[in-house]
Structure formats: C-alpha cells, structure tokens
Amino acid sequence: MFQPLIDYLRERSVLILGFGREGRSTYRLIREFLPEKEISIADKFPVTIEDKNVNLFCGDGYMSVINDFEVVIKSPGISVRDVEIKENVTVTCQTDLFLRFAGCKCIGITGTKGKTTTSTLTYLILKAAGINTALIGNIGVPVFESLGGAEKMIPVIELSSHQLEFTRTSPHIGVLTNVYPEHLDHYNGFKGYVNAKLNIVKNQKENDIFIYNADQGISEFIDESEIKSKKIGISAEDAEKDPFLKDLVSCNSRLLGRHNRFDILLAATAARALGIEDKFIRAGIESFDGIPHRMENVGTYKGITFYNDSIATIPEAVMCAVEALGKVGSLIIGGNDRGLDYSDFIKDLSGCNVDNIICLPETGHAIGNSLKEMGSDKNIVIAKDMEEAVKAAYEFTESGKICLLSPAASSYNRYKNFEEKGEHYKSLIKKLGEK
C-alpha cells in the first residue's frame, strides 16, 4: 500500500510544514522509502536534523515559503488562514494522504465533543469482535504510524477539524458527534470551523455511511441533498426503543452522563453498520476503562474527590461533566481566550448547584468578574495560577463533595496542551493533599 503514496511524493517537491509529532512522522516515512529525496521543513521554532537532503526554513517568516512547493504536508495545529495559497500548490496532511492511499475501509469520527470517547469505544468494539484495527489520528498517534498492513485492517481515526480542513477524501464510515463553536481563532469564525468538520462527509460515495447526531441535526450546516452516502441519524431516544441499547448505555459505570451515553449509541451504530454482533458491542463497551483528562477520577484527599476534565475546552462539555458527576462543590475554569461567547455559560454557572467557581486566567477571570457583576451567590475565587486554584479548592470545597477541573477554554496561554495542564493539576492535588 505504500507504493502509490511514495510514487505521489517522489514526483513532487515536498514541504513538511510544522515539525512536531506529525511532522517528524512524515519525515520518517519519506526517508524510509525515499532516502535521497530532497525535502524541506518549515517551522516557527528551530529544527535540528542531520540530513544533507533537507532544507530548513525556521523562524517568524517560515510561512513565506509555502508557495514554492507543489505539495505542502501541514501539521494540524498550524493555521494558514492568512496565507494566500497559489492554485498550483496542494496543501494536504497525513489524514488526507492516508484516506487517499491506504486502500482500506476506515471509520472516521469527529465532533466538537465526544470524539475521543466515541473513537475509543468503537475501537474497543472492533477489537472485541476480533477485527484487525488501530486507534489513530487526533488520539495522539499519527496516522502514518499505521501504514504498514493498513490494507488488511479497519482503522478507527479520531479526526479534529484541523486534520479535516485539507482532507479531500472521506472515510467509509463517518461519524459526526456534534458541532459547537470551537477554534474560532484558527478559522476566522464558526463557518470555517464547520466547513472543516463537514469534510468527513462531503466526499463520501453512495456505498459509504454517515452517522450523525439527529438531536442536533445537520440541516443548518449542510444541504442534505449534497450528501451521497447513506445517512443514519442517532437520537438519545433510540436507546428507549431498542432493549439492547437501553441496557448498553448503562453497562459501564465509567461512562456517566447523557453525553457519554450518546457516545455509546454512536459507537454501537458504527459497529452495527459493519455487521458486528451485539455481544461484541457489549464486550467492547464493558472493556472501556476511561480516558486520561476526561472526567478522570484523580482520587480523594482530605474528604474531597478530585476530577480532571482538562480536555473540556468548551462550555457545553463543562456543563455535561457537572451534570454527570453531581455533588460538584468546586469548579475550576479558565484558559486561553479564543473569542468564544460565554454569555450562556455564565448564566448556566450562576444557576447550577456548584458552590465555588475558581477562576484561572484569562477567560476564567472574565467569567468570574461577570458573575460578580450580575450578583451571583456563588463563591467566586480569582486565582492567579493553578497552584492557587488547587489551594482554594482544598480551602472551600465541602468534605464529601467533588472538585472538578473543567476549563471551558484551551490551555495554550499557560500550558503546551490540555494534557500538561491536567498533569499539573493532578500533581498539585497530591502535593497539597499530603500536607
């Protein structure tokens, strides 16, 4: 299966745009099969590599070379919204190239929230059924890492909007969990973000399958007559109509809340579309043991149970976690300001049962101050950093209740990513809890 991809890259000038995890993975693939090919790497940060056939473009002006190449393999986190790209330049990514050249049926799963859980559950079901599979993509595994033998497997690909933005091929089974405003700074608004997400279905063919959230609907995002594939809309009510699904959504205590139950429905529907028997679907769901940084139980210290939900970067995800856990005494929010509208979130916080709202910079401070201005009866704590926030949690959270970190914002103002933020939170809980 490598050959068509290698032939495609061999005949064209190639720029690897961004040299993080995916960029390095792309470099390794090219070098394995095209050891003498001249390639170029562009990154904002310095790149150190010993390879006489590599040209480096690093620093603030690294984006200026994009139009000098025929193929630009872009890393997901890099935005080219302000770059005028010439018609003869193909901007692509690992996901696009994998879907075009892998030669296998793929299950692609995207959505603003729930895509990691739905992808993991789908993968576990396929494993339980004895299907050769891999969990790749936005989950943290570059898709090129699974190229070997891909034609003999059914991979499950978690797809972010960034990975879909320049993807021109859709998976055989595409799943859209939901769409809410997110990453608006990357796309110059909600429309660009939605358009990126919809690449999961735009290029599907008649024998493909598109599974989507019927409770939210898709008509406001896309003209349904443009969809060529078979559409399967899933509603929360479907669990009430099907005895197996009704029992399935409550078979694993780690999957609490309406949002997790819906993820189970989506994963089960994708599995059934492949003809997988219900007994394997249940076995897969039962084997799920949680995802780091998603409603992760850190432990109980000084009578307070701490949960890490640092992956929750939008308000809707936060309120789902609050509802699912119950007994949340303290909620830690805040992070990088990406231009999201928090007006409804502020009202939800004011009306919820959480006692203490602990606010981190930048968005948390703005939200906390807005709650104060509206006369909220919550205990609003403006914390300068995570350590101060965790100290406040120990001080104000009633014994027997929960402290939940669920930021409703990205982590990039203080941390490299949500994982680093979550790990810092967990380390402080244990450090301060032992004093």
Side-chain angles (χ1 to χ4, degrees), residues 158-219:
E158 181 188 326
L159 297 167
S160 70
S161 57
H162 301 338
Q163 290 166 317
L164 285 166
E165 183 179 9
F166 291 97
T167 295
R168 299 164 182 82
T169 305
S170 298
H172 169 58
I173 296 178
V175 180
L176 179 65
T177 63
N178 48 60
V179 181
Y180 298 104
E182 172 88 298
H183 302 302
L184 304 187
D185 53 336
H186 186 102
Y187 296 99
N188 279 331
F190 186 48
K191 184 177 180 181
Y193 170 69
V194 171
N195 285 337
K197 286 286 188 192
L198 290 175
N199 281 334
I200 198 165
V201 64
K202 286 178 182 176
N203 297 296
Q204 282 191 317
K205 300 177 176 61
E206 290 182 0
N207 63 339
D208 294 329
I209 298 167
F210 177 51
I211 300 166
Y212 65 94
N213 183 334
D215 289 337
Q216 185 180 61
I218 54 172
S219 58

Coordinates of all heavy atoms in Angstrom, one line a residue, residues 158-219:
E158 N -9.6 9.1 14.9 CA -10.2 10.3 15.5 C -9.7 11.5 14.8 O -8.5 11.7 14.6 CB -9.8 10.5 17.0 CG -10.4 11.7 17.7 CD -9.9 12.0 19.0 OE1 -9.5 11.0 19.8 OE2 -9.8 13.2 19.4
L159 N -10.7 12.3 14.3 CA -10.4 13.4 13.4 C -10.7 14.8 14.0 O -11.9 15.1 14.3 CB -11.2 13.3 12.1 CG -10.8 12.0 11.3 CD1 -11.9 11.8 10.2 CD2 -9.4 12.2 10.7
S160 N -9.8 15.6 14.1 CA -10.0 17.0 14.6 C -10.4 17.8 13.4 O -10.2 17.4 12.2 CB -8.8 17.6 15.3 OG -7.8 17.8 14.3
S161 N -10.9 19.0 13.6 CA -11.2 19.9 12.5 C -9.9 20.3 11.7 O -9.9 20.5 10.5 CB -11.9 21.2 13.0 OG -11.1 21.8 14.0
H162 N -8.8 20.4 12.5 CA -7.5 20.7 11.8 C -7.1 19.7 10.9 O -6.6 19.9 9.8 CB -6.5 20.9 12.9 CG -6.8 22.0 13.9 ND1 -7.6 23.1 13.6 CD2 -6.3 22.2 15.1 CE1 -7.7 23.9 14.7 NE2 -6.9 23.4 15.6
Q163 N -7.3 18.4 11.2 CA -6.9 17.3 10.4 C -7.9 17.2 9.2 O -7.5 16.7 8.1 CB -6.9 16.0 11.2 CG -5.8 15.9 12.2 CD -6.0 14.8 13.2 OE1 -7.1 14.6 13.7 NE2 -4.9 14.1 13.5
L164 N -9.1 17.6 9.3 CA -10.1 17.5 8.2 C -10.1 18.7 7.3 O -10.6 18.6 6.2 CB -11.5 17.4 8.8 CG -11.9 16.0 9.4 CD1 -13.2 16.1 10.2 CD2 -12.1 15.0 8.3
E165 N -9.5 19.8 7.7 CA -9.5 21.1 7.0 C -9.0 20.9 5.5 O -9.6 21.4 4.6 CB -8.7 22.1 7.7 CG -8.7 23.5 7.0 CD -7.9 24.5 7.8 OE1 -7.1 24.1 8.7 OE2 -8.0 25.7 7.5
F166 N -8.0 20.1 5.3 CA -7.4 19.9 4.0 C -7.6 18.5 3.5 O -6.8 18.0 2.7 CB -6.0 20.4 3.9 CG -5.9 21.9 4.0 CD1 -5.6 22.5 5.3 CD2 -6.1 22.7 3.0 CE1 -5.5 23.9 5.4 CE2 -6.0 24.1 3.1 CZ -5.7 24.7 4.3
T167 N -8.6 17.8 4.0 CA -8.8 16.4 3.6 C -9.8 16.4 2.5 O -11.0 16.9 2.7 CB -9.3 15.6 4.9 OG1 -8.2 15.5 5.8 CG2 -9.7 14.2 4.5
R168 N -9.5 15.7 1.4 CA -10.3 15.7 0.2 C -11.0 14.3 0.0 O -11.6 14.1 -1.0 CB -9.5 16.1 -1.0 CG -9.0 17.5 -0.9 CD -7.9 17.8 -1.9 NE -7.3 19.1 -1.8 CZ -6.4 19.4 -0.9 NH1 -5.9 18.5 -0.1 NH2 -5.9 20.7 -0.9
T169 N -10.7 13.4 0.9 CA -11.3 12.1 0.9 C -12.0 11.8 2.2 O -11.4 12.1 3.2 CB -10.2 11.0 0.6 OG1 -9.4 11.4 -0.6 CG2 -10.8 9.6 0.5
S170 N -13.2 11.3 2.1 CA -13.9 11.0 3.3 C -13.8 9.5 3.7 O -13.7 8.6 2.8 CB -15.4 11.4 3.2 OG -15.5 12.8 2.9
P171 N -13.9 9.1 5.0 CA -13.9 7.7 5.4 C -15.1 6.9 4.9 O -16.2 7.5 4.7 CB -13.8 7.8 6.9 CG -14.4 9.1 7.2 CD -14.1 10.0 6.1
H172 N -15.0 5.6 4.9 CA -16.1 4.8 4.5 C -17.3 5.0 5.5 O -18.5 5.1 5.1 CB -15.7 3.3 4.5 CG -16.8 2.3 4.4 ND1 -17.7 2.4 3.3 CD2 -17.2 1.3 5.2 CE1 -18.6 1.4 3.5 NE2 -18.4 0.8 4.6
I173 N -17.0 5.0 6.8 CA -18.0 5.3 7.8 C -17.5 6.6 8.5 O -16.5 6.6 9.1 CB -18.1 4.2 8.8 CG1 -18.7 2.9 8.2 CG2 -19.1 4.6 10.0 CD1 -18.8 1.7 9.1
G174 N -18.3 7.6 8.4 CA -18.0 8.9 9.0 C -19.0 9.1 10.1 O -20.2 9.0 9.9
V175 N -18.5 9.6 11.3 CA -19.4 9.8 12.4 C -19.2 11.3 12.9 O -18.0 11.7 13.1 CB -19.1 8.9 13.6 CG1 -20.0 9.2 14.8 CG2 -19.2 7.4 13.2
L176 N -20.3 12.0 13.0 CA -20.2 13.4 13.5 C -21.0 13.5 14.8 O -22.2 13.3 14.8 CB -20.8 14.4 12.5 CG -20.9 15.8 12.9 CD1 -19.5 16.4 13.0 CD2 -21.7 16.6 11.8
T177 N -20.3 13.6 15.9 CA -20.9 13.6 17.2 C -21.8 14.8 17.5 O -22.9 14.7 18.0 CB -19.9 13.4 18.3 OG1 -19.0 14.6 18.3 CG2 -19.0 12.2 18.1
N178 N -21.3 16.0 17.1 CA -22.0 17.3 17.4 C -21.1 18.4 16.8 O -19.9 18.2 16.5 CB -22.3 17.5 18.9 CG -21.1 17.2 19.7 OD1 -20.0 17.8 19.6 ND2 -21.2 16.3 20.6
V179 N -21.7 19.6 16.8 CA -20.9 20.8 16.4 C -21.3 21.9 17.2 O -22.4 22.3 17.3 CB -21.1 21.1 14.9 CG1 -20.3 22.3 14.5 CG2 -20.8 20.0 14.0
Y180 N -20.3 22.5 17.9 CA -20.4 23.7 18.7 C -19.3 24.7 18.4 O -18.2 24.2 17.9 CB -20.4 23.4 20.2 CG -21.6 22.5 20.7 CD1 -21.3 21.2 20.9 CD2 -22.9 23.0 20.8 CE1 -22.4 20.3 21.4 CE2 -23.9 22.2 21.2 CZ -23.6 20.9 21.5 OH -24.7 20.1 21.9
P181 N -19.4 26.0 18.7 CA -18.3 26.9 18.4 C -17.0 26.5 19.1 O -17.0 26.3 20.3 CB -18.8 28.2 18.9 CG -20.3 28.1 18.8 CD -20.6 26.7 19.1
E182 N -15.9 26.4 18.3 CA -14.6 26.0 18.9 C -13.6 26.4 17.8 O -13.8 26.5 16.6 CB -14.6 24.5 19.0 CG -13.3 23.9 19.4 CD -13.0 23.8 20.9 OE1 -12.9 24.9 21.4 OE2 -12.8 22.7 21.4
H183 N -12.4 26.7 18.3 CA -11.2 27.0 17.4 C -11.5 28.2 16.5 O -11.1 28.2 15.4 CB -10.8 25.8 16.6 CG -10.4 24.6 17.4 ND1 -9.4 24.6 18.4 CD2 -10.9 23.3 17.5 CE1 -9.3 23.4 18.9 NE2 -10.2 22.6 18.4
L184 N -12.3 29.1 17.0 CA -12.7 30.2 16.1 C -11.5 31.1 15.6 O -11.5 31.7 14.6 CB -13.8 31.1 16.8 CG -15.0 30.4 17.3 CD1 -16.0 31.4 17.8 CD2 -15.6 29.5 16.2
D185 N -10.5 31.1 16.5 CA -9.3 31.9 16.2 C -8.5 31.3 15.0 O -7.8 31.9 14.3 CB -8.4 32.0 17.4 CG -8.0 30.7 18.0 OD1 -8.8 29.7 17.8 OD2 -7.0 30.6 18.7
H186 N -8.7 30.0 14.8 CA -8.0 29.2 13.7 C -8.6 29.4 12.4 O -8.0 29.4 11.4 CB -7.9 27.8 14.1 CG -7.1 26.9 13.2 ND1 -5.8 26.5 13.5 CD2 -7.4 26.4 11.9 CE1 -5.3 25.8 12.5 NE2 -6.3 25.7 11.5
Y187 N -10.0 29.6 12.4 CA -10.7 29.6 11.1 C -11.4 30.9 10.8 O -12.1 31.0 9.8 CB -11.8 28.5 11.2 CG -11.3 27.1 11.4 CD1 -11.2 26.5 12.6 CD2 -10.8 26.4 10.3 CE1 -10.7 25.2 12.8 CE2 -10.3 25.1 10.4 CZ -10.3 24.6 11.7 OH -9.8 23.3 11.8
N188 N -11.1 32.0 11.5 CA -11.8 33.2 11.3 C -13.3 33.1 11.4 O -14.0 33.6 10.5 CB -11.4 33.8 9.9 CG -10.1 34.5 9.9 OD1 -9.7 35.1 10.9 ND2 -9.4 34.5 8.8
G189 N -13.7 32.4 12.4 CA -15.2 32.3 12.6 C -15.7 30.9 12.6 O -15.0 29.9 12.2
F190 N -17.0 30.7 12.9 CA -17.7 29.4 13.1 C -17.9 28.7 11.7 O -17.7 27.5 11.6 CB -19.0 29.7 13.8 CG -19.7 28.4 14.1 CD1 -19.1 27.4 14.8 CD2 -21.1 28.3 13.8 CE1 -19.8 26.2 15.1 CE2 -21.8 27.1 14.2 CZ -21.1 26.1 14.8
K191 N -18.1 29.5 10.7 CA -18.4 28.9 9.4 C -17.2 28.1 8.9 O -17.4 27.0 8.4 CB -18.8 30.0 8.4 CG -19.2 29.4 7.0 CD -19.6 30.5 6.1 CE -20.0 29.9 4.7 NZ -20.4 31.0 3.7
G192 N -16.0 28.6 9.0 CA -14.8 27.9 8.6 C -14.6 26.7 9.4 O -14.2 25.7 8.8
Y193 N -14.9 26.7 10.7 CA -14.7 25.6 11.5 C -15.7 24.5 11.1 O -15.3 23.3 11.0 CB -15.0 26.0 13.0 CG -15.1 24.8 14.0 CD1 -14.0 24.1 14.3 CD2 -16.3 24.6 14.6 CE1 -14.1 23.0 15.2 CE2 -16.4 23.5 15.5 CZ -15.3 22.8 15.8 OH -15.4 21.7 16.7
V194 N -17.0 24.8 10.9 CA -18.0 23.8 10.5 C -17.6 23.2 9.1 O -17.7 22.0 8.9 CB -19.4 24.5 10.4 CG1 -20.4 23.5 9.8 CG2 -19.8 24.9 11.8
N195 N -17.2 24.1 8.2 CA -16.8 23.5 6.9 C -15.7 22.5 6.9 O -15.7 21.5 6.2 CB -16.4 24.7 5.9 CG -17.6 25.5 5.5 OD1 -18.7 25.0 5.4 ND2 -17.3 26.7 5.1
A196 N -14.7 22.7 7.8 CA -13.7 21.8 8.0 C -14.2 20.4 8.6 O -13.9 19.4 8.1 CB -12.6 22.3 9.0
K197 N -15.1 20.5 9.6 CA -15.7 19.3 10.1 C -16.4 18.5 9.1 O -16.4 17.3 9.0 CB -16.7 19.7 11.2 CG -16.0 20.1 12.5 CD -15.4 18.9 13.3 CE -14.9 19.3 14.6 NZ -14.1 18.2 15.2
L198 N -17.1 19.2 8.2 CA -18.0 18.5 7.2 C -17.3 17.8 6.1 O -17.9 17.1 5.3 CB -19.0 19.5 6.6 CG -20.1 20.0 7.6 CD1 -20.9 21.1 6.9 CD2 -20.9 18.9 8.1
N199 N -15.9 18.0 6.1 CA -15.2 17.2 5.1 C -15.2 15.7 5.4 O -14.8 14.9 4.6 CB -13.7 17.6 5.1 CG -13.5 18.9 4.2 OD1 -14.3 19.2 3.3 ND2 -12.5 19.7 4.6
I200 N -15.7 15.3 6.6 CA -15.9 13.9 6.9 C -17.0 13.3 6.1 O -17.0 12.0 5.9 CB -16.2 13.8 8.4 CG1 -16.0 12.3 8.9 CG2 -17.7 14.2 8.8 CD1 -15.9 12.1 10.4
V201 N -17.9 14.1 5.5 CA -19.0 13.5 4.7 C -19.0 14.0 3.3 O -19.6 13.4 2.4 CB -20.3 13.8 5.4 CG1 -20.6 15.3 5.5 CG2 -21.5 13.1 4.7
K202 N -18.4 15.2 3.0 CA -18.6 15.8 1.7 C -18.1 14.9 0.5 O -18.7 15.0 -0.6 CB -17.8 17.1 1.7 CG -18.5 18.3 2.5 CD -17.6 19.5 2.4 CE -18.2 20.6 3.2 NZ -17.3 21.8 3.3
N203 N -17.1 14.1 0.8 CA -16.5 13.3 -0.3 C -16.9 11.8 -0.2 O -16.2 11.0 -0.8 CB -15.0 13.5 -0.4 CG -14.7 14.9 -0.7 OD1 -14.9 15.5 -1.8 ND2 -14.0 15.6 0.3
Q204 N -17.9 11.5 0.6 CA -18.3 10.1 0.7 C -19.1 9.7 -0.6 O -19.7 10.6 -1.3 CB -19.2 9.9 1.9 CG -18.5 9.8 3.2 CD -19.4 9.3 4.3 OE1 -20.5 9.8 4.5 NE2 -18.9 8.4 5.2
K205 N -19.1 8.4 -0.9 CA -19.8 7.9 -2.0 C -21.0 7.2 -1.6 O -21.3 7.1 -0.4 CB -18.8 7.0 -2.8 CG -17.5 7.7 -3.3 CD -16.6 6.7 -3.9 CE -15.4 7.4 -4.5 NZ -14.6 8.0 -3.5
E206 N -21.8 6.7 -2.6 CA -23.1 6.1 -2.3 C -23.0 4.9 -1.4 O -24.0 4.6 -0.7 CB -23.8 5.7 -3.7 CG -24.2 6.9 -4.5 CD -24.9 6.5 -5.7 OE1 -25.1 5.3 -6.0 OE2 -25.3 7.4 -6.5
N207 N -21.9 4.1 -1.5 CA -21.8 2.9 -0.6 C -21.2 3.2 0.7 O -20.9 2.3 1.5 CB -21.0 1.8 -1.3 CG -19.6 2.3 -1.6 OD1 -19.3 3.4 -1.6 ND2 -18.7 1.3 -1.8
D208 N -21.0 4.5 1.1 CA -20.5 4.9 2.4 C -21.6 5.2 3.3 O -22.8 5.3 2.9 CB -19.5 6.1 2.2 CG -18.3 5.8 1.4 OD1 -17.8 4.7 1.5 OD2 -17.8 6.7 0.7
I209 N -21.3 5.4 4.6 CA -22.3 5.6 5.6 C -21.9 6.8 6.5 O -20.7 7.0 6.9 CB -22.4 4.4 6.6 CG1 -22.8 3.2 5.7 CG2 -23.3 4.6 7.7 CD1 -22.6 1.8 6.4
F210 N -22.9 7.7 6.7 CA -22.7 8.9 7.5 C -23.6 8.8 8.7 O -24.8 8.8 8.6 CB -23.0 10.1 6.7 CG -22.9 11.4 7.5 CD1 -21.7 11.7 8.3 CD2 -23.9 12.4 7.5 CE1 -21.6 12.9 9.0 CE2 -23.8 13.5 8.2 CZ -22.7 13.8 9.0
I211 N -23.0 8.8 9.9 CA -23.8 8.7 11.2 C -23.7 10.0 11.9 O -22.5 10.5 12.1 CB -23.2 7.5 12.1 CG1 -23.3 6.2 11.3 CG2 -23.9 7.5 13.4 CD1 -22.5 5.1 12.0
Y212 N -24.8 10.6 12.3 CA -24.7 11.9 12.9 C -25.7 12.1 14.0 O -26.6 11.2 14.3 CB -25.0 13.0 11.8 CG -26.4 12.9 11.2 CD1 -27.4 13.7 11.7 CD2 -26.7 12.1 10.2 CE1 -28.7 13.7 11.2 CE2 -28.0 12.0 9.7 CZ -29.0 12.8 10.2 OH -30.3 12.7 9.7
N213 N -25.6 13.1 14.7 CA -26.4 13.5 15.9 C -27.8 14.0 15.4 O -27.9 15.2 15.0 CB -25.7 14.5 16.8 CG -26.4 14.9 18.0 OD1 -27.6 14.8 18.1 ND2 -25.7 15.3 19.0
A214 N -28.8 13.2 15.5 CA -30.1 13.7 15.0 C -30.8 14.6 15.9 O -31.6 15.4 15.5 CB -31.0 12.4 14.8
D215 N -30.4 14.6 17.2 CA -30.9 15.6 18.2 C -30.5 17.0 17.9 O -31.2 17.9 18.1 CB -30.5 15.2 19.6 CG -31.2 13.9 20.1 OD1 -32.3 13.6 19.6 OD2 -30.7 13.3 21.0
Q216 N -29.3 17.1 17.3 CA -28.8 18.4 16.9 C -29.2 18.7 15.5 O -29.5 19.8 15.1 CB -27.3 18.5 17.1 CG -26.7 19.9 16.8 CD -25.2 20.0 16.9 OE1 -24.5 19.3 16.3 NE2 -24.8 20.9 17.8
G217 N -29.1 17.7 14.6 CA -29.5 17.9 13.2 C -28.3 18.4 12.5 O -27.3 18.9 13.0
I218 N -28.3 18.3 11.1 CA -27.2 18.8 10.3 C -27.7 19.8 9.2 O -26.9 20.4 8.5 CB -26.5 17.6 9.6 CG1 -27.6 16.8 8.8 CG2 -25.7 16.8 10.6 CD1 -26.9 15.7 7.9
S219 N -29.0 20.0 9.2 CA -29.6 20.8 8.1 C -29.1 22.3 8.1 O -29.0 22.9 7.1 CB -31.1 20.8 8.1 OG -31.6 21.2 9.3

